[in-house]
Amino acid sequence: MADVVAVLKQDHRTVEKLFGEFETSRDRSIVERICQELDEHTDLEERIVYPALRSEVQGGPGMATHAEKEHAEARDLIGRIRRSEDFDHIADLVSELQQAVEEHVSDEENDVFPKMESEMGAARLEELGTEVESEKSG
């Protein structure tokens, strides 16, 4: 089993790859895959990772609150993407979503994850990783 940081980083790479595929193909089905991946990822972070971050990491409550605000922004954009019929508008919204996700990923990978790794310990990170992976597989 991978630790939770490795699992979440893999999710980040998956979404980054999908954004790249959309940029080259402009395929609408990729947009829905991006939205689905982000829906699942944000849900798992908010249900499993952020409660642990809040209670087990110094400064964690502020980090979790900031991340949840970024998730709300992403959810708003995803909703707007799903409601839009105009492909050019969708493409603009996807670009905006990509920028928001890149900022969120940077925050997590440069600030949140290193703090979790230094303060939570390997066993706890593995436990959270197992929980996230088990929720993903159904």
Side-chain angles (χ1 to χ4, degrees):
M1 281 293 145
D3 75 40
V4 71
V5 170
V7 172
L8 297 176
K9 281 183 175 181
Q10 181 55 52
D11 286 354
H12 293 166
R13 301 298 82 80
T14 297
V15 171
E16 288 168 355
K17 182 174 179 254
L18 288 169
F19 279 123
E21 288 175 19
F22 176 72
E23 280 181 29
T24 56
S25 73
R26 307 305 269 182
D27 181 344
R28 175 106 188 224
S29 68
I30 294 173
V31 174
E32 185 49 36
R33 286 180 45 212
I34 291 168
C35 294
Q36 288 171 344
E37 286 285 335
L38 291 172
D39 281 342
E40 180 183 54
H41 179 83
T42 57
D43 176 62
L44 291 170
E45 281 187 331
E46 289 177 5
R47 286 190 302 109
I48 298 168
V49 180
Y50 295 166
L53 177 64
R54 276 191 166 88
S55 64
E56 300 171 40
V57 173
Q58 188 166 354
M63 290 177 175
T65 298
H66 177 73
E68 287 166 344
K69 286 178 183 168
E70 291 176 334
H71 284 183
E73 177 185 353
R75 278 195 189 93
D76 175 64
L77 287 166
I78 289 168
R80 291 167 55 200
I81 288 166
R82 287 179 168 150
R83 288 187 302 273
S84 181
E85 298 296 324
D86 177 346
F87 187 78
D88 289 334
H89 183 60
I90 290 169
D92 289 343
L93 290 170
V94 169
S95 177
E96 197 176 331
L97 178 62
Q98 181 177 3
Q99 189 173 6
V101 168
E102 286 172 355
E103 183 179 312
H104 178 72
V105 165
S106 176
D107 287 347
E108 283 191 337
E109 293 189 5
N110 294 316
D111 300 324
V112 178
F113 294 168
K115 198 98 158 109
M116 288 171 62
E117 288 170 327
S118 71
E119 294 186 29
M120 295 175 97
R124 181 64 173 135
L125 294 174
E126 291 278 336
E127 182 183 307
L128 290 168
T130 299
E131 193 175 343
V132 167
E133 285 183 330
S134 124
E135 288 280 326
K136 278 181 161 202
S137 60

